[in-house]
Amino acid sequence: MPSHLSADRPAPQPPGRGSVDALISQARRLKGDVDAVRRDAQDDGSDPQGRWQRALYDLALHQLSDLDEHLAQLRDGPADLAPAAPAPTEQSVPTAPRRGSLLSRVGSAEWNLLTDEASWSGELYQILGRDPAAPPLTLDELPAVVLDEDRPKLTSMVTDCLVDAKPIDGEFRVLRPDGAVRTVHMMGEPVLDTDGSTASMWAVLRDVSELRRSQSVVSETRDSLQRHRHHAQTEHRLAVELQEAVLPPWRGSLRLPQQAAEGGPERGSESLDLAARRLPSSAGARIGGNWYDALQLADGDTLLSVGDLTGHGVAVTSGMATLLGAVRGMAMAGTAPAQLLSWLNQLLHATAQPALGGTVCCRYRPGTRALTWAQAGHPAPLLFRDGTGRRLSAPDGVLLGATSGAVYEQAEETLEAGDLLVLHTDGLAPGHDSTATENRLLDLAPRFAGARTAQDCVRMVVEEFGETEREDDACVLIARVTS
């Protein structure tokens, strides 16, 4: 601000150069650290969380760049104001700012109300895109470069400053001669005469277009992230409700067969003591397509099955419900496990949204204790007898949906009273392959031998695996042959 308009004010003294240089160095180090983290951040454009974080990094870099340049201006002292009507000389043409510099985005101006003269810095000419050889705009002319919808705001700020001596602190948008629209932040104060009247007004004008654009991106990505989270929460709730609706209605333990069926075993013959549990995925993870099932069939046999459809979300849970319904229907019609999987494979392969699934289907006949079973790319059942356990030899069978012409073989095992059968889905022990998971289950054999019920055995499995953080849910089904 020219001294002739502020004779009663002491001239501002530049701060200690050493202290400002230290602040500049700290700001630049911090900017380098933020930029390094920003470059390392992975963002393929599909993750709302990643887009939001990257937008925040960009905004932080803009702010740190501003801080760096403003500290440099503070160290070097304020820029001189251009003369009221600059002559078109070589000296009056401002030099081009260096790439990345904010010096061209901070300008100053003063309007003398007594002489109707205006003084602009060269930077202000650059902000407004005006020819530095042209005279600066007066306060009456300034609204002409402001967008129509922002003119009332500028007029109100200037009027309050000149009439009521209120400081100016606000933003408006200007239209440059090249057609570009820039957002300008204006801070100013009135300069009072000796009689208390307003003699002039000075202001610092800053081009904040990039900053506001970055803030807009942050806001938009934050809103997008919130919508994404809301959608995910809704989808998760629907998937849980659908899964709960299609899984067996019984909780705790179950004994099958529950009553004698026509042509089946009489009540009192060998039956199965059953218990199962779904081990949920970690908080925030999407629901998968895991299932377990135990069903008494029309002829008195018992259907046992566990399975997993690849993927997550409502669509996968819906697909799992379709498969489970098909398994129940075909088993109730008397279809043998191998043929059942063959038809199930054709059903999955023909769906509009192809997917892969793994399953084990078993049919147990109480009168003979015969277990007939088939598998499709799934861990085989584990059989525990007399305190030891082993993996049943699996018949051939590929994942459901892998190929339309898949052929599934069938195996048969004769069980004994007291035998324990464990069926489980993948993911029971995250980070471990199926062999490692089976070994951990087989190590539970001595504890299983001392258990009184299938429910007690399920509790042991949950104690062994339940506290593990898992990205996918898992299921375990245990059947104990009783007399």
Side-chain angles (χ1 to χ4, degrees):
M1 182 171 58
S3 58
H4 71 279
L5 293 177
S6 55
D8 296 333
R9 298 186 180 186
Q13 297 298 320
R17 187 181 185 91
S19 60
V20 177
D21 284 340
L23 290 174
I24 291 175
S25 298
Q26 293 177 15
R28 290 177 179 174
R29 281 197 300 270
L30 180 57
K31 180 181 176 183
D33 292 341
V34 172
D35 191 37
V37 175
R38 173 185 174 275
R39 290 195 303 269
D40 291 339
Q42 298 297 323
D43 178 21
D44 59 5
S46 61
D47 178 20
Q49 177 77 27
R51 292 199 302 271
W52 179 68
Q53 290 178 344
R54 192 169 184 85
L56 285 178
Y57 286 138
D58 290 339
L59 179 58
L61 287 173
H62 277 302
Q63 298 279 24
L64 288 171
S65 294
D66 285 355
L67 177 61
D68 182 7
E69 296 298 342
H70 291 328
L71 286 173
Q73 286 184 321
L74 182 64
R75 177 193 60 193
D76 299 335
D80 292 333
L81 292 175
T89 62
E90 181 180 354
Q91 288 77 11
S92 66
V93 179
T95 57
R98 64 182 184 273
R99 181 175 179 83
S101 171
L102 295 185
L103 296 180
S104 63
R105 293 198 281 130
V106 181
S108 56
E110 187 160 358
W111 291 274
N112 190 321
L113 303 183
L114 302 180
T115 64
D116 200 26
E117 292 180 332
S119 299
W120 282 11
S121 68
E123 292 82 11
L124 185 53
Y125 279 93
Q126 293 180 348
I127 291 175
L128 300 183
R130 295 183 62 83
D131 183 356
L137 299 177
T138 66
L139 283 178
D140 292 334
E141 296 170 333
L142 184 61
V145 300
V146 178
L147 294 187
D148 292 345
E149 53 267 39
D150 291 353
R151 286 176 188 169
K153 183 190 303 184
L154 174 63
T155 300
S156 177
M157 288 191 300
V158 172
T159 301
D160 290 343
C161 179
L162 299 181
V163 176
D164 299 325
K166 293 182 179 180
I168 291 177
D169 189 353
E171 294 182 6
F172 51 87
R173 290 165 299 167
V174 298
L175 179 63
R176 292 162 50 111
D178 59 6
V181 175
R182 309 297 293 179
T183 301
V184 176
H185 182 223
M186 183 177 183
M187 296 183 65
E189 291 183 354
V191 178
L192 303 181
D193 208 344
T194 55
D195 60 358
S197 60
T198 302
S200 64
M201 188 187 81
W202 69 271
V204 173
L205 296 93
R206 178 184 174 208
D207 185 346
V208 294
S209 303
E210 298 303 324
L211 178 60
R212 295 296 173 257
R213 187 174 295 110
S214 295
Q215 290 174 330
S216 177
V217 170
V218 169
S219 177
E220 290 173 359
T221 53
R222 181 183 62 240
D223 293 344
S224 174
L225 178 61
Q226 290 175 345
R227 290 192 298 270
H228 177 78
R229 286 175 175 170
H230 177 71
H231 175 76
Q233 290 170 354
T234 301
E235 185 181 73
H236 186 276
R237 176 178 55 81
L238 292 175
V240 169
E241 292 176 355
L242 180 58
Q243 189 177 63
E244 292 294 329
V246 299
L247 288 180
W250 50 274
R251 297 293 183 268
S253 59
L254 175 71
R255 185 178 290 270
L256 293 179
Q258 294 178 319
Q259 62 183 11
E262 183 178 354
E266 295 298 325
R267 192 173 183 82
S269 62
E270 288 81 356
S271 60
L272 295 180
D273 173 26
L274 298 159
R277 182 74 64 86
R278 181 180 69 85
L279 283 71
S281 56
S282 306
R286 302 173 71 190
I287 298 296
N290 287 262
W291 83 81
Y292 65 87
D293 197 22
L295 181 67
Q296 181 175 327
L297 304 177
D299 60 0
D301 288 0
T302 297
L303 168 71
L304 303 176
S305 73
V306 296
D308 179 17
L309 192 63
T310 57
H312 300 85
V314 174
V316 171
T317 309
S318 178
M320 177 270 288
T322 300
L323 286 185
L324 184 53
V327 169
R328 290 170 174 171
M330 287 188 285
M332 191 64 74
T335 307
Q339 182 62 63
L340 187 152
L341 293 188
S342 178
W343 288 344
L344 202 64
N345 176 68
Q346 293 181 30
L347 174 65
L348 187 59
H349 193 270
T351 56
Q353 295 180 336
L356 297 176
T359 184
V360 167
C361 286
C362 307
R363 194 179 186 103
Y364 176 72
R365 183 172 292 276
T368 61
R369 300 198 193 107
L371 180 77
T372 305
W373 68 285
Q375 64 84 28
H378 199 83
L382 303 180
L383 177 61
F384 295 83
R385 179 180 294 168
D386 298 330
T388 61
R390 64 182 175 88
R391 177 180 183 271
L392 297 183
S393 298
D396 290 341
V398 299
L399 284 170
L400 299 174
T403 175
S404 60
V407 176
Y408 296 88
E409 295 185 355
Q410 192 166 280
E412 186 169 319
E413 188 81 19
T414 301
L415 304 184
E416 299 178 3
D419 281 356
L420 194 75
L421 200 65
V422 177
L423 284 70
H424 67 92
T425 62
D426 288 328
L428 195 61
H432 295 76
D433 58 23
S434 59
T435 301
T437 302
E438 288 173 355
N439 289 337
R440 288 178 62 179
L441 285 169
L442 292 173
D443 288 341
L444 295 176
R447 296 177 60 188
F448 286 163
R452 298 179 55 189
T453 66
Q455 183 66 26
D456 290 339
C457 296
V458 167
R459 292 194 186 99
M460 295 174 188
V461 174
V462 173
E463 290 173 0
E464 177 70 19
F465 299 100
E467 300 301 323
T468 304
E469 288 289 322
R470 53 177 52 83
E471 296 181 359
D472 199 357
D473 46 349
C475 295
V476 59
L477 172 64
I478 295 182
R480 183 170 175 266
V481 181
T482 64
S483 299

